[in-house]
Structures are given as C-alpha cells and as structure tokens.
Amino acid sequence: MNRHPRLASSLVLLALVGGTTLACAQPLQLPGAQPLNQAGAHQAAPPASGGAPATPRAHVMPAIKVAGEEAIIGRTLRRNGGFGEAVFEKTAAGYGLKLKAEGFQASNLVEPCAISFGDAPVPLTSLGRPAGVPRYKLEASICPIVFDVLDGAFLVVEPAQPCVVETAACRIDPRGLWGPDSRTLVSRAKEIESARGTAERAVREGYRVLGAKGDAVDQRAIAREQASFSAERELTCRDFQREGSLGFCGARVTEARAASIRARLGITSEPKPAAKPKPRPKPTPLPLTPTQ
C-alpha cells in the first residue's frame, strides 16, 4: 500500500527536474526582442536607418563680380587711398594712364618728392587676363608698372621694388592698391563688407574645388597657399588708409584672388541666370449657353 505514494512522489520529482532542465536549455527572451540564432545559423544585418548613405555635396565655386576696364575709366585713384594720382583713360589706340607718383628723395628718404608722367595718358599694353582680370603694362621707361584692373581700383603686381628716377633723384614706390580717396568710402561701408563676405566664400570654395581636383602633392601645396593668403593680404593692405574700419583693400584683394582661382579652374564666364518659367496660358472661357 505504501509503494504507490512513493512512486507518485518520484514521478512528480522527475517532472520538476525535467522541466527545470528544459527551461535552462532555452535562453530567456524578452518581449519585442529578436530571437537568437541557432548554432551555425547566419543572421542578416538590420537595414540601416535613413536609406542609402548621402552622396557628398560637390563643391562649386560661387559666382563673383569680375570687373572690367569700365570699372575704373575716368576715376581718380590714389595709392593706398591717399597718395599720388592715377586716371585710367580710353584713347584712340586703346587705353592710357595719367600718373603722378609721390616718393622721397633718393639721398634723403624723409624729404618728399613727386614725379609726373606727363599731362597726356601714357600708353598701356594689354597683357590679357592671366589672373582672371584685365592686366596692363604702363610703357614708361622711368618706371614700368604692371597692374590688374579690379572693381574701382587697380592692384600693382610689378615692379617688386621702388623705382629711382635718376633725373629727379626721386625714389617712388607704386606698389600696392590704388583706389578711391579713403575719405569717400565711409558711406559705402556696408557695401564693402558685403562684397568682402561674398569674395571670402568664393575663395574658400575655390580652394576646395582646386584641392578636389589635385593629387596629394597638389593638395598640400594648395593648403599652404590658402593658409598664407591672409598674411599676404595683410601685407598688401596694411598701409591703405582707414583699412581697419572699412576694409576696402581687403575686399578688392580677396576678389582678385577669387578671380585668379576661377582662371585656374578654367572658369571664364559668369554662370547664366536661371531661365524664368513661362507663364501659363490663360484658360479660354467657355461659351455661354442661352437659357430657355
């Protein structure tokens, strides 16, 4: 009689042990979790959120204003906004420049002097657009000058040193930016600031485009050139009058660099404006039907 209770107890114990073993054999799975793979099975990676990876944005150099000769014709320009006098004029043979340069006595660099290149415009020879803007050479034996035409100014790129006019014992320095009298620029402060901002963006994007087109060696050279540009601009513009408050020289030199980068990229014209959408034709009114 006592065997049956013991047998029943043994069966219950075995059932409990077996259930515990099965529970331990299967891993715990939380609600909403992905089921684990069986041994040897492969599981595909979950799809990336947001779809396909975004394509890198292509760098495009923004449009800038590239000035021509008309930007300085007939205007009186002064070196560093306050010295000498230059007037770019149209002549029967092309273009000429009336120039009066100020300097100091060659034997006494504190004694001022001035040299006039004559009452008539001195002929100019066009050198094309090697830096993206018109370039001219002043055909004057006492001091040949090469300059680039900018917006309301011109930037002298040669000579590298001041000229000494032996007959007058006068040492003149035509280098730098020749622009309007700095006293006339105060009312244009916002315009100048906007122009410089546009030119700065064009230079940054232009260097990015140049870097993307070159190999590792070119990229390093372009990076060095970009890094040194600010110092070169400061050197050119440090003596321009009221530069700290107006920034006229910096704006024009930055525009010149942007134009030079455009020339290196082979961009020779401004992008065409987007075509205006054609107006939709007006619907033809339906004829009126007479009512009975």
Side-chain angles (χ1 to χ4, degrees):
M1 295 293 295
N2 292 334
R3 291 182 179 177
H4 297 289
R6 293 178 181 174
L7 179 59
S9 299
S10 300
L11 293 174
V12 172
L13 182 60
L14 289 172
L16 290 174
V17 173
T20 303
T21 305
L22 290 174
C24 293
Q26 295 187 1
L28 178 64
Q29 181 175 333
L30 298 177
Q34 294 290 336
L36 297 178
N37 292 337
Q38 297 179 359
H42 297 280
Q43 182 178 7
S49 60
T55 303
R57 180 178 67 89
H59 295 298
V60 178
M61 187 174 182
I64 60 168
K65 181 180 180 181
V66 179
E69 290 84 355
E70 69 283 351
I72 61 171
I73 288 180
R75 299 189 182 186
T76 299
L77 305 178
R78 303 186 185 281
R79 178 174 176 263
N80 289 330
F83 304 98
E85 186 176 294
V87 181
F88 186 90
E89 294 187 358
K90 189 170 180 60
T91 64
Y95 294 103
L97 189 72
K98 289 182 179 179
L99 182 63
K100 177 182 178 181
E102 297 180 0
F104 296 93
Q105 292 288 340
S107 58
N108 185 1
L109 294 181
V110 296
E111 186 67 28
C113 58
I115 296 295
S116 174
F117 284 63
D119 295 331
V122 179
L124 294 170
T125 299
S126 173
L127 301 181
R129 291 179 175 236
V133 295
R135 177 170 289 182
Y136 286 90
K137 181 179 180 181
L138 180 74
E139 298 295 347
S141 58
I142 59 174
C143 189
I145 298 172
V146 177
F147 62 89
D148 286 341
V149 176
L150 307 180
D151 185 10
F154 65 79
L155 179 65
V156 173
V157 295
E158 293 180 13
Q161 300 295 331
C163 299
V164 177
V165 183
E166 299 292 348
T167 55
C170 186
R171 180 180 181 270
I172 59 174
D173 189 354
R175 297 175 298 173
L177 186 82
W178 291 66
D181 189 316
S182 61
R183 294 171 294 183
T184 67
L185 297 174
V186 178
S187 61
R188 298 171 53 190
K190 290 185 177 180
E191 170 201 333
I192 295 168
E193 181 181 5
S194 176
R196 177 162 178 164
T198 300
E200 292 276 11
R201 291 191 294 273
V203 168
R204 286 195 299 269
E205 288 299 319
Y207 275 124
R208 289 192 182 103
V209 176
L210 283 175
K213 291 179 176 292
D215 56 20
V217 176
D218 293 335
Q219 289 171 358
R220 287 192 292 271
I222 291 168
R224 288 193 297 269
E225 178 185 333
Q226 184 177 7
S228 64
F229 170 60
S230 296
E232 294 172 6
R233 180 176 57 192
E234 173 65 23
L235 187 63
T236 300
C237 296
R238 64 184 179 182
D239 294 328
F240 199 93
Q241 295 188 357
R242 304 194 182 194
E243 181 66 12
S245 59
L246 297 175
F248 177 82
C249 179
R252 295 301 176 258
V253 170
T254 306
E255 288 172 344
R257 179 57 60 95
S260 175
I261 295 174
R262 284 170 58 87
R264 290 160 65 180
L265 290 170
I267 304 174
T268 57
S269 61
E270 297 293 330
K272 296 181 180 179
K276 296 181 178 180
K278 295 182 180 180
R280 294 182 178 180
K282 296 181 179 180
T284 303
L286 297 175
L288 298 178
T289 303
T291 57
Q292 297 296 333

